């Protein structure tokens, strides 16, 4: 059983003169882990094994995520090497807000048995290297380890300045917004039963955020096109086989020239050695934010999750609301509104998009 002091606790670890992986890691650093018992309990309730969690974070370097969202304070969004977890660098203010909501968040997760589309917070750390401090929040990954996301939307239920700019569209991976979703004429087709379950869960989560005076969150919609993924995999496999055949021809010519037995593997064994055996199956027990489509004309997997949920409606947001109201008018659907209005509009918008 957790005690009140567990929500204030922390541990500190200081490492000096370490030589492990010294090409990539400093020899002196400090790690501060916030509320370790609380987050361990959350990991357990989210079905995350502690040893697997540590292995994912430490076995190899993290990779940069395509989706960078609206991470405040100049933060970056990284993924663990196995794509199980988000490793987000953060600012002190966001970590402070995380502390502020941690107790009600934990209680909410317990009461709902971990069934939520809120971020699954798993750990918070502070790393100190040569006097510089970096705050890190670790969460479960929103998308799949093996199923690529082909199109991504960030939806807030607002239509003012809510479209991807030309600059954003020129990027390798574009995050589209509310007006883009409407113009594309897309519906999230998951069937009536799945819609009822999802909307019920989403409504419960949004009501929780509203009670904490939080707003400005988004629903991330990641779309995996099953047919497109199969075509991409077949094309990739063809390229691998072609490369292996060319390698085999080069080897054969070299062998004939030297009149010696071949020292390289056969094309078959070389192909088996490649890391292209992708699993394109949907695993709902692992891809907890994923829902299969119920559509005759398309086959898709949708990943639906709430993100950026730590913004409180404070004096700064009230001022932004006033300025945008003056600019766009009182009837404009601006994003910066009070928590009650934000949640009501957000739920109405999202519910209409799902069939």
């Amino acid at each position: 059983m957790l005690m009140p002091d567990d929500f204030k606790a922390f541990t500190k670890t200081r490492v000096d003169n370490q030589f492990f992986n010294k090409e990539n890691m400093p020899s002196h650093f400090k790690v501060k882990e916030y509320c370790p018992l609380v987050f361990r309990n959350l990991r357990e309730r989210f079905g995350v094994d502690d040893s697997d969690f540590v292995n994912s974070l430490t076995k190899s370097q993290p990779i940069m995520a395509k989706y960078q969202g609206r991470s405040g304070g100049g933060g970056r969004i990284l993924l663990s090497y196995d794509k199980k977890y988000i490793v987000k660098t953060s600012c002190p203010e966001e970590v402070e807000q995380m502390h502020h909501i941690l107790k009600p968040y934990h209680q909410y997760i317990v009461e709902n048995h971990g069934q939520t589309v809120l971020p699954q917070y798993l750990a918070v750390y502070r790393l100190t290297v040569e006097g510089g401090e970096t705050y890190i929040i670790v969460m479960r990954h929103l998308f799949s380890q093996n199923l690529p996301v082909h199109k991504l939307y960030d939806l807030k239920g607002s239509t003012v300045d809510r479209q991807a700019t030309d600059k954003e569209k020129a990027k390798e991976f574009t995050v589209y917004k509310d007006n883009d979703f409407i113009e594309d004429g897309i519906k999230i087709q998951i069937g009536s039963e799945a819609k009822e379950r999802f909307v019920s869960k989403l409504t419960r989560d949004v009501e929780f955020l509203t009670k904490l005076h939080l707003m400005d969150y988004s629903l991330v919609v990641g779309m995996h096109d099953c047919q497109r993924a199969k075509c991409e995999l077949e094309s990739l496999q063809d390229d691998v086989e072609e490369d292996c055949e060319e390698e085999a021809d080069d080897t054969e010519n070299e062998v004939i020239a030297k009149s010696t037995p071949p020292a390289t593997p056969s094309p078959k064994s070389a192909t088996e050695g490649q890391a292209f055996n992708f699993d394109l199956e949907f695993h709902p027990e692992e891809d907890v934010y994923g829902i299969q489509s119920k559509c005759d004309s398309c086959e898709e997997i949708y990943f639906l999750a709430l993100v950026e949920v730590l913004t409180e409606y404070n004096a700064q947001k009230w001022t932004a609301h006033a300025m945008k109201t003056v600019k766009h008018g009182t009837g404009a659907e601006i994003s910066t509104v009070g928590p009650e209005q934000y949640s009501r509009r957000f739920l109405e918008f999202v519910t209409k998009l799902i069939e």
Side-chain angles (χ1 to χ4, degrees):
M1 179 182 294
L2 294 174
M3 305 300 291
D5 285 347
D6 292 329
F7 292 87
K8 305 174 184 177
F10 59 86
T11 62
K12 287 185 177 181
T13 303
R14 181 187 180 98
V15 178
D16 289 310
N17 300 317
Q18 69 89 22
F19 294 100
F20 173 74
N21 194 15
K22 61 181 181 180
E23 292 80 10
N24 298 307
M25 293 182 62
S27 58
H28 305 272
F29 60 92
K30 293 186 290 186
V31 179
K32 182 178 182 179
E33 182 179 6
Y34 295 94
C35 308
L37 294 181
V38 176
F39 283 108
R40 182 187 298 174
N41 187 266
L42 284 171
R43 292 195 293 271
E44 181 180 344
R45 295 182 183 279
F46 288 135
V48 175
D49 181 79
D50 259 9
S51 59
D52 289 343
F53 178 72
V54 172
N55 180 70
S56 295
L57 296 184
T58 60
K59 185 175 181 179
S60 189
Q61 291 190 50
I63 56 180
M64 184 69 72
K66 291 182 178 179
Y67 169 68
Q68 288 299 308
R70 296 175 282 115
S71 183
R76 295 180 300 165
I77 298 177
L78 308 170
L79 299 177
S80 60
Y81 82 96
D82 54 8
K83 299 182 181 180
K84 286 185 177 181
Y85 306 109
I86 292 172
V87 181
K88 177 184 176 183
T89 63
S90 187
C91 60
E93 293 76 16
E94 190 171 26
V95 172
E96 183 180 355
Q97 181 66 7
M98 177 79 248
H99 272 99
H100 180 66
I101 73 161
L102 185 56
K103 194 168 186 177
Y105 173 83
H106 177 269
Q107 181 180 348
Y108 179 79
I109 297 303
V110 171
E111 291 174 351
N112 291 283
H113 309 287
Q115 298 300 308
T116 181
V117 292
L118 290 170
Q120 294 191 5
Y121 293 114
L122 304 174
V124 177
Y125 303 103
R126 187 190 70 192
L127 306 180
T128 305
V129 180
E130 296 180 353
E133 295 181 343
T134 302
Y135 292 89
I136 293 175
I137 298 177
V138 184
M139 300 165 277
R140 187 192 288 271
H141 189 20
L142 308 178
F143 309 133
S144 173
Q145 293 176 256
N146 55 299
L147 302 179
V149 169
H150 295 110
K151 198 154 189 180
L152 184 62
Y153 293 90
D154 179 290
L155 306 178
K156 296 161 70 76
S158 170
T159 55
V160 175
D161 296 331
R162 291 295 297 164
Q163 59 275 328
T165 64
D166 292 338
K167 183 178 179 181
E168 289 171 330
K169 291 178 181 178
K171 293 181 180 179
E172 180 182 356
F173 191 76
T174 302
V175 180
Y176 296 93
K177 300 177 184 177
D178 302 65
N179 289 332
D180 302 307
F181 196 96
I182 295 170
E183 291 173 4
D184 291 343
I186 293 174
K187 292 290 185 179
I188 302 171
Q189 302 184 56
I190 57 177
S192 57
E193 292 184 6
K195 176 181 178 177
E196 184 179 353
R197 289 194 300 270
F198 175 77
V199 171
S200 175
K201 192 187 301 183
L202 179 67
T203 301
R204 191 171 62 234
D205 289 345
V206 167
E207 288 175 350
F208 167 73
L209 296 176
T210 303
K211 289 178 183 177
L212 296 178
H213 304 288
L214 299 173
M215 43 78 71
D216 207 27
Y217 41 83
S218 300
L219 180 74
V220 162
V221 180
M223 303 175 67
H224 169 78
D225 185 328
C226 298
Q227 186 57 44
R228 176 178 168 182
K230 290 177 183 177
C231 293
E232 290 172 345
L233 181 58
E234 290 173 0
S235 176
L236 183 59
Q237 289 172 332
D238 290 342
D239 291 342
V240 172
E241 290 177 3
E242 186 176 326
D243 290 343
C244 290
E245 288 173 1
E246 291 177 359
E247 183 179 341
D249 291 339
D250 293 341
T251 300
E252 184 177 351
N253 292 335
E254 184 179 345
V255 168
I256 293 174
K258 294 183 178 180
S259 299
T260 58
T264 56
S266 66
K268 181 179 179 181
S269 62
T271 303
E272 291 173 347
Q274 301 292 332
F276 297 121
N277 185 24
F278 294 127
D279 174 18
L280 292 180
E281 293 297 320
F282 173 52
H283 303 286
E285 69 282 356
E286 297 176 2
D287 304 329
V288 297
Y289 294 107
I291 305 177
Q292 283 185 301
S293 65
K294 290 286 181 67
C295 175
D296 295 333
S297 60
C298 62
E299 186 181 357
E300 295 176 319
I301 307 292
Y302 304 105
F303 296 95
L304 309 173
L306 287 168
V307 298
E308 306 291 351
V309 302
L310 296 177
T311 302
E312 186 177 17
Y313 189 69
N314 52 23
Q316 182 180 359
K317 287 295 181 182
W318 185 89
T319 303
H321 167 70
M323 293 177 65
K324 288 185 177 181
T325 300
V326 171
K327 179 179 179 181
H328 299 287
T330 55
E333 294 185 351
I334 59 177
S335 60
T336 311
V337 295
E340 290 80 11
Q341 183 181 348
Y342 190 95
S343 63
R344 184 169 56 253
R345 186 184 64 193
F346 177 82
L347 287 171
E348 289 175 358
F349 181 83
V350 171
T351 303
K352 291 177 182 178
L353 304 178
I354 305 176
E355 295 181 345

